[in-house]
Amino acid sequence: RRVHGLYDLDTEAPRHTLRGHTDWVLCVAWAPSGTKLASACKRGHVNVWSPETGKKLTSRPLEGHKGWITCLQWKPLHLDEECRWLASSSKDTTVKIWDTVRGECKMTLCSHTM
């Protein structure tokens, strides 16, 4: 299992250890509200975390990409105050739109080029 952590910037001490990815974490994205953190790995999985508790907010990873995830982006706060919607792009040439509350892929855009 791969482990990554959140640190307190004032003390430089680890605040939470995040366990859940089984391969290298390639990208992370803070939700615009600061209440969620998404991380994605080389295996094509996305995890959504609470930065306050260090716990996963979804019961299982968001899965569906067949290649490395190269970028994560939350929907802007003024359009999504709940910070529910997350987009992920992958080496498999797709962009997936995730409902992070339900833990489901709602849309897949194909033939995305790098």
Side-chain angles (χ1 to χ4, degrees), residues 41-85:
C41 72
K42 188 175 175 183
R43 187 171 218 157
H45 298 168
V46 177
N47 283 317
V48 180
W49 310 89
S50 164
E52 286 301 313
T53 65
K55 304 287 184 201
K56 282 197 260 185
L57 296 175
T58 53
S59 59
R60 57 183 172 74
L62 306 177
E63 299 178 359
H65 283 296
K66 307 232 181 312
W68 302 0
I69 294 178
T70 56
C71 188
L72 295 170
Q73 182 64 53
W74 292 91
K75 188 172 184 177
L77 187 61
H78 70 285
L79 299 174
D80 180 20
E81 291 182 11
E82 188 180 4
C83 293
R84 180 178 195 130
W85 301 101

Side-chain angles (χ1 to χ4, degrees), residues 1-108:
R1 286 237 184 262
R2 301 288 180 189
V3 176
H4 52 290
L6 297 177
Y7 287 79
D8 182 312
L9 295 179
D10 293 326
T11 65
E12 298 181 11
R15 187 160 181 215
H16 299 294
T17 300
L18 309 178
R19 300 177 195 281
H21 287 291
T22 57
D23 213 327
W24 295 104
V25 172
L26 300 177
C27 52
V28 296
W30 284 93
S33 65
T35 59
K36 296 179 183 179
L37 176 69
S39 60
C41 72
K42 188 175 175 183
R43 187 171 218 157
H45 298 168
V46 177
N47 283 317
V48 180
W49 310 89
S50 164
E52 286 301 313
T53 65
K55 304 287 184 201
K56 282 197 260 185
L57 296 175
T58 53
S59 59
R60 57 183 172 74
L62 306 177
E63 299 178 359
H65 283 296
K66 307 232 181 312
W68 302 0
I69 294 178
T70 56
C71 188
L72 295 170
Q73 182 64 53
W74 292 91
K75 188 172 184 177
L77 187 61
H78 70 285
L79 299 174
D80 180 20
E81 291 182 11
E82 188 180 4
C83 293
R84 180 178 195 130
W85 301 101
L86 177 71
S88 59
S89 64
S90 170
K91 287 281 198 178
D92 65 9
T93 71
T94 65
V95 174
K96 293 191 178 288
I97 308 298
W98 301 96
D99 178 337
T100 63
V101 173
R102 298 185 71 132
E104 299 173 349
C105 178
K106 291 298 186 179
M107 183 184 302
T108 300

